[in-house]
Amino acid sequence: MESRWDVLSAVGAITCVWLLLRVAWGVARGVYVYLLPQARRGSPWLRAQGAWAVVTGATGGIGRAYAHELARRGLNVVLISRNLSKLELEAKEIERLHGRRTRVIQADFTGGLQIYGDIEAELQGLEVGVLVNNVAMTYGGNKLKRLLDCENPAKSMMDVVNCNILSMVQMTRIVLPQMVSRRRGVIVNLSSVASLRSVPLLAMYAASKAFVRSFSLAVATEYRPLGITVQAVSPCVVSTNMTSHPTPGPLIKLPEDFAREALDTLGLSSDVSGCLSHALQTLLMPVVLPEWLIHTPWGSQLLLKVTGSLMDLSE
Ligand SMILES: NC(=O)c1ccc[n+]([C@@H]2O[C@H](COP(=O)([O-])OP(=O)(O)OC[C@H]3O[C@@H](n4cnc5c(N)ncnc54)[C@H](OP(=O)(O)O)[C@@H]3O)[C@@H](O)[C@H]2O)c1
Ligand SMILES: *[C@@H]1O[C@H](CO)[C@@H](O)[C@H](O)[C@H]1NC(C)=O
Ligand SMILES: *[C@@H]1O[C@H](CO)[C@@H](O)[C@H](O)[C@H]1NC(C)=O
Ligand SMILES: *[C@@H]1O[C@H](CO)[C@@H](O)[C@H](O)[C@H]1NC(C)=O
């Protein structure tokens, strides 16, 4: 009897130590990545990666904020998205505000493999130091909905896969060889907190973001010895068109603030939320909204209410 208690208390003690170590590791990592200004790599390090940055989805939201922040830190910027007049306007604004050079490439990432030949040709000869794989879309418009509750499910599914997954893989293929030959370069992939679990009513989006995160972390390990820095950024809510512009506050970030804080974490970790507020929210999420709860009928109603009150996403 007594020896059984000994075994149980040993198991208890080991579990406690393990939990404490995990918490300590999380706190130490958070302090290092978000709170120690002297740990940051700074603009000279970023600039030394190469003269140009390429940002996909660069005319709005987080991508636009990354483009401006990278130019402010001394890089020339290639902007890629669908609307040429928005691209030219944004490029002029970056040249005026930050005095860097710009190029624009008009492309629709819902198109398949055939769009990448042009992009590759346009990037020919540019020393690309930083690639931000930012472009993404939700499924069938910015609303929470079931898989078949949209006008053209077949096309919507293909669009999400092309825009959120194929774009990142192909853009990385295009710039990685020159980065490897120079033994330097940074690739940032915008994932999402939604990548950490499956999310009912956001099935395609959340699964596509899980691909981004998993792929990024694996390729990060493959290419770290070759001098390439890869980072998966998984934000919570940022006030953009995708989230129907909710009011910014302690939980919801402005894209400009988010991009600045996220760029400060580059080179410190390959897997970040991007800012301290979102790191804390991500840490608390399993407690507040555990995955098993989301998959119960009342759990998914709760999720709908919570996100609905933060953002105008419910129909
Ligand atoms: N906002 C959030 O709360 C949040 C949270 C987690 C993760 N994220 C991730 O952060 C990234 C940026 O999100 P966001 O909120 O900034 O998005 P957004 O406001 O919708 O901006 C999307 C940008 O991509 C361009 N774009 C959209 N569809 C395109 C297409 N098919 N081809 C080419 N360009 C296209 C848009 O410009 P045009 O319309 O001119 O093409 C715009 O510049 C995404 O990867 C998203 O998943 C966002
Ligand atoms: C491009 O953006 C401009 C400015 O926002 C808008 O007026 C125009 O309708 C857009 N063009 C297309 C083809 O969406
Ligand atoms: C914002 O999102 C809506 C819904 O997806 C889309 O129809 C609209 O074109 C977007 N607006 C801009 C400026 O990107
Ligand atoms: C992003 O994903 C690409 C795959 O297209 C991968 O090669 C790259 O290392 C990833 N980058 C980051 C920063 O995780």
Side-chain angles (χ1 to χ4, degrees):
M1 195 64 196
E2 210 162 83
S3 73
R4 188 179 303 160
W5 281 113
D6 284 349
V7 170
L8 279 182
S9 44
V11 169
I14 290 170
T15 309
C16 284
V17 169
W18 181 75
L19 282 174
L20 277 175
L21 282 176
R22 267 192 65 155
V23 169
W25 167 249
V27 170
R29 193 170 162 273
V31 168
Y32 175 65
V33 171
Y34 295 108
L35 294 176
L36 285 186
Q38 59 272 40
R40 282 177 201 154
R41 296 305 178 88
S43 303
W45 175 79
L46 199 60
R47 176 61 190 76
Q49 304 297 315
W52 288 82
V54 176
V55 182
T56 66
T59 46
I62 298 174
R64 175 175 175 276
Y66 261 100
H68 276 267
E69 191 61 31
L70 286 163
R72 207 177 63 75
R73 296 183 189 205
L75 282 92
N76 302 322
V77 188
V78 182
L79 306 148
I80 313 182
S81 56
R82 286 171 300 189
N83 183 320
L84 193 59
S85 56
K86 279 205 279 183
L87 280 167
E88 281 168 349
L89 208 71
E90 212 51 59
K92 280 217 187 70
E93 195 65 3
I94 286 175
E95 289 177 5
R96 187 179 69 79
L97 286 174
H98 312 291
R100 310 311 310 182
R101 292 166 62 200
T102 59
R103 288 208 186 169
V104 303
I105 302 176
Q106 184 181 19
D108 186 339
F109 287 106
T110 58
L113 203 53
Q114 69 274 11
I115 68 168
Y116 296 94
D118 282 349
I119 296 180
E120 193 166 7
E122 299 260 11
L123 292 178
Q124 201 72 50
L126 293 186
E127 186 191 74
V128 178
V130 179
L131 167 65
V132 182
N133 287 312
N134 162 81
V135 72
M137 59 191 293
T138 51
Y139 180 73
N142 297 341
K143 302 284 179 197
L144 299 176
K145 53 178 55 161
R146 282 190 300 205
L147 195 59
L148 299 182
D149 293 349
C150 68
E151 263 166 36
N152 189 343
K155 180 174 187 314
S156 299
M157 287 167 184
M158 192 180 70
D159 285 352
V160 172
V161 170
N162 282 343
C163 189
N164 299 13
I165 297 178
L166 189 69
S167 73
M168 178 195 66
V169 179
Q170 290 297 329
M171 289 304 298
T172 304
R173 172 194 57 84
I174 289 171
V175 305
L176 199 52
Q178 55 150 306
M179 287 183 173
V180 168
S181 71
R182 282 183 286 119
R183 293 213 150 229
R184 55 185 60 196
V186 170
I187 303 175
V188 176
N189 293 330
L190 262 294
S191 177
S192 165
V193 67
S195 70
L196 302 178
R197 51 182 54 191
S198 60
V199 185
L201 305 177
L202 273 178
M204 283 298 292
Y205 177 77
S208 75
K209 290 294 165 181
F211 178 99
V212 171
R213 185 161 172 279
S214 161
F215 184 88
S216 290
L217 300 181
V219 180
T221 305
E222 288 176 16
Y223 284 90
R224 194 173 298 121
L226 298 175
I228 314 297
T229 304
V230 282
Q231 186 185 50
V233 178
S234 307
C236 298
V237 182
V238 181
S239 181
T240 67
N241 189 49
M242 181 181 277
T243 47
S244 309
H245 297 285
T247 317
L251 300 181
I252 298 173
K253 296 295 269 192
L254 275 174
E256 293 76 19
D257 297 335
F258 180 81
R260 186 170 24 78
E261 288 190 45
L263 273 173
D264 281 341
T265 71
L266 251 189
L268 302 185
S269 169
S270 56
D271 188 13
V272 294
S273 299
C275 64
L276 187 59
S277 155
H278 290 188
L280 289 172
Q281 289 176 61
T282 304
L283 197 73
L284 291 176
M285 199 174 56
V287 183
V288 179
L289 211 60
E291 177 143 26
W292 63 263
L293 181 62
I294 285 182
H295 290 289
T296 62
W298 29 280
S300 55
Q301 284 305 311
L302 180 69
L303 179 71
L304 205 59
K305 281 227 174 67
V306 172
T307 48
S309 68
L310 286 175
M311 301 168 266
D312 176 29
L313 287 182
S314 41
E315 261 173 325

